[in-house]
Amino acid sequence: MHNRLTSLANSATPLLIISAVFCINLPIAFGSVSLVLLLICWLFSGDYQSKFKLIKANPGALIALGLLALYGLGVLYSSAPLSEAFHYFLKYSKLLLIPMLVSVLTSEQHRKYAINAFLISLIGYLAVSYLNWFGLFSLGFMRHGTYMAIGLYLMLGNARRFTGQYRLAWITLAVLTAFNILVIADVRTGVITLFSLLALFSYETWGKKTLFYCLGLLILAFALIQTVPSFKHLNPRLTHLHQEVTSHRANDPAHQTSAGQRLDMYRNTLKLIQNHLILGGGTGSLKGEYAELIKGSDVVVVRVTNPHNQYLSTTQDLGLAGLAVLLAFFLIHWRQAYQLSSEEYGSAFRGLILAMVLGSLVNSLLLDGGDGRMYCLLAGVFLSRYHSVKRE
């Protein structure tokens, strides 16, 4: 009976990984079911010695465990109530996905299925987005700019590998995705990520000189958006950024803007960080300390649970020690992207890391249920290809 259960768990585990990756572009509740089942199957799949051996040999998996352990330590000295501190610790438990996937995803076929599952679900999401835009599909629609930018990068990677009609198909999908980010989706982060990933793709495909062309095109695009009226409708949240910042009034409900509120959050979080610079205020400490900071002031602000910046969020919780581990987390993953035994996966992984590093400047992406889960799942898939093979 035990052997049968172990065999069933081992068979189901890669399928649940593929399912969880497919659900990245769906509401979080869909993916949660796959992840709960994945955890159960991992626990019952046995052969823990081999699993831990794979985790131990993978620096990217170890640093993920280290970061999670630091958040666990932060629960012990947090200024937040224990229940709230533990609640925020659980938000970071998605980091466990990286070592879990590294320890069980050993089939190249399953890896390809997982990446394709992400692209298929993204193409479906894209189709629904266009139907919604044309008025053929009425639905309250979430705008996943970061997801689409990463998907576009993967599409361009496929276009680079294929020829003929397959290349044309992937280029067409990439163009449709770019148009969606620039025109349809009301997302500043997605636009910034899009241009950054296009620059990375150009550099990795055609070399350093293309970076100057990309920079020139970016300056030209910015100039057109700011000066030509017909271009200003492309993405109003991006083109009106300066206006949002200058018109924001922290103490006036009628003059509250998204960009202005974020700047207020950054300034106030920096003030809090100064109170406990080395180890931070503990996991989940921002909410209570932020409310205490603005108490008695005339600032009009909604309840702040994170500063919309992962680096500030981690530093507030874990101090400079936590920030150092977070930066090491991204740096180790970046180095490993050059050490995967597949250049295709290495390039895709670098695109994912760049999107996460930049997006974390304006959002708490690891804390976020959707973006953080996406990163940990895809990073786990790519890192499972690590075999200490250094590539030029």
Side-chain angles (χ1 to χ4, degrees):
M1 180 65 181
H2 175 73
N3 290 337
R4 185 178 178 182
L5 184 61
T6 300
S7 177
L8 180 63
N10 279 314
S11 300
T13 298
L15 300 179
L16 289 169
I17 291 173
I18 295 168
S19 173
V21 173
F22 179 83
C23 290
I24 286 174
N25 294 293
L26 300 179
I28 291 178
F30 287 88
S32 297
V33 176
S34 295
L35 293 181
V36 169
L37 293 175
L38 173 60
L39 176 61
I40 294 172
C41 286
W42 190 91
L43 292 173
F44 281 98
S45 59
D47 196 14
Y48 301 117
Q49 187 174 358
S50 297
K51 288 182 173 63
F52 293 143
K53 185 177 180 181
L54 287 171
I55 294 171
K56 186 178 178 181
N58 197 303
L62 291 177
I63 192 65
L65 288 173
L67 183 57
L68 180 61
L70 204 56
Y71 272 105
L73 181 64
V75 173
L76 301 180
Y77 63 85
S78 177
S79 60
L82 181 60
S83 59
E84 186 169 319
F86 188 69
H87 169 73
Y88 276 87
F89 170 73
L90 289 179
K91 286 180 176 289
Y92 286 102
S93 64
K94 61 178 75 75
L95 288 165
L96 283 173
L97 289 170
I98 296 176
M100 283 176 61
L101 266 62
V102 162
S103 70
V104 296
L105 199 58
T106 56
S107 165
E108 182 62 21
Q109 186 179 40
H110 289 145
R111 293 189 192 100
K112 289 186 179 295
Y113 286 162
I115 299 302
N116 288 335
F118 174 74
L119 285 172
I120 291 170
S121 66
L122 182 67
I123 292 169
Y125 174 91
L126 198 64
V128 174
S129 176
Y130 272 102
L131 290 173
N132 197 61
W133 189 52
F134 288 125
L136 302 175
F137 194 83
S138 180
L139 181 68
F141 211 68
M142 295 182 67
R143 295 170 173 84
H144 293 163
T146 304
Y147 296 11
M148 287 191 288
I150 292 170
L152 181 143
Y153 189 82
L154 296 176
M155 292 171 186
L156 290 176
N158 285 342
R160 182 170 54 193
R161 290 189 302 112
F162 289 106
T163 58
Q165 60 184 2
Y166 292 106
R167 172 173 290 180
L168 179 61
W170 284 115
I171 290 175
T172 301
L173 286 169
V175 170
L176 289 172
T177 304
F179 181 84
N180 192 291
I181 295 171
L182 292 171
V183 178
I184 301 175
D186 186 18
V187 280
R188 278 191 286 254
T189 307
V191 175
I192 296 169
T193 306
L194 166 67
F195 284 118
S196 302
L197 291 183
L198 286 176
L200 176 64
F201 179 82
S202 300
Y203 169 73
E204 295 206 335
T205 305
W206 297 293
K208 294 181 181 178
K209 63 181 181 181
T210 61
L211 290 178
F212 295 102
Y213 301 142
C214 289
L215 180 61
L217 288 174
L218 184 60
I219 294 173
L220 176 61
F222 180 78
L224 288 173
I225 289 172
Q226 295 300 321
T227 58
V228 181
S230 59
F231 281 94
K232 291 188 176 183
H233 75 282
L234 288 180
N235 193 307
R237 293 193 69 205
L238 189 67
T239 56
H240 297 167
L241 180 60
H242 179 264
Q243 181 182 343
E244 279 195 34
V245 173
T246 55
S247 64
H248 174 75
R249 298 291 182 271
N251 57 355
D252 185 355
H255 292 85
Q256 294 283 300
T257 66
S258 174
Q261 285 181 342
R262 288 186 185 227
L263 288 178
D264 286 340
M265 292 178 193
Y266 298 163
R267 285 190 288 263
N268 288 330
T269 303
L270 285 170
K271 292 178 183 177
L272 293 176
I273 289 171
Q274 294 173 12
N275 297 330
H276 28 61
L277 194 59
I278 304 302
L279 294 178
T283 303
S285 60
L286 178 80
K287 179 182 172 183
E289 292 190 13
Y290 197 101
E292 189 66 26
L293 178 69
I294 64 173
K295 183 185 293 185
S297 68
D298 59 352
V299 173
V300 179
V301 65
V302 295
R303 184 182 64 162
V304 175
T305 57
N306 78 82
H308 290 78
N309 179 301
Q310 185 62 56
Y311 307 104
L312 290 179
S313 178
T314 298
T315 309
Q316 160 60 24
D317 283 350
L318 306 174
L320 292 178
L323 178 62
V325 175
L326 176 65
L327 295 176
F329 174 80
F330 289 128
L331 179 61
I332 288 172
H333 283 188
W334 184 267
R335 287 191 62 188
Q336 279 190 269
Y338 286 100
Q339 298 174 319
L340 304 185
S341 54
S342 165
E343 178 54 31
E344 172 195 345
Y345 284 0
S347 177
F349 193 21
R350 288 191 289 277
L352 175 67
I353 297 167
L354 179 62
M356 194 71 175
V357 167
L358 292 177
S360 292
L361 290 169
V362 291
N363 286 293
S364 303
L365 292 187
L366 268 182
L367 176 64
D368 180 76
D371 294 277
R373 180 181 296 182
M374 174 200 63
Y375 181 82
C376 292
L377 281 169
L378 293 180
V381 173
F382 294 133
L383 285 171
S384 69
R385 199 67 156 79
Y386 172 74
H387 294 295
S388 300
V389 178
K390 187 173 183 179
R391 305 180 63 89
E392 294 296 332

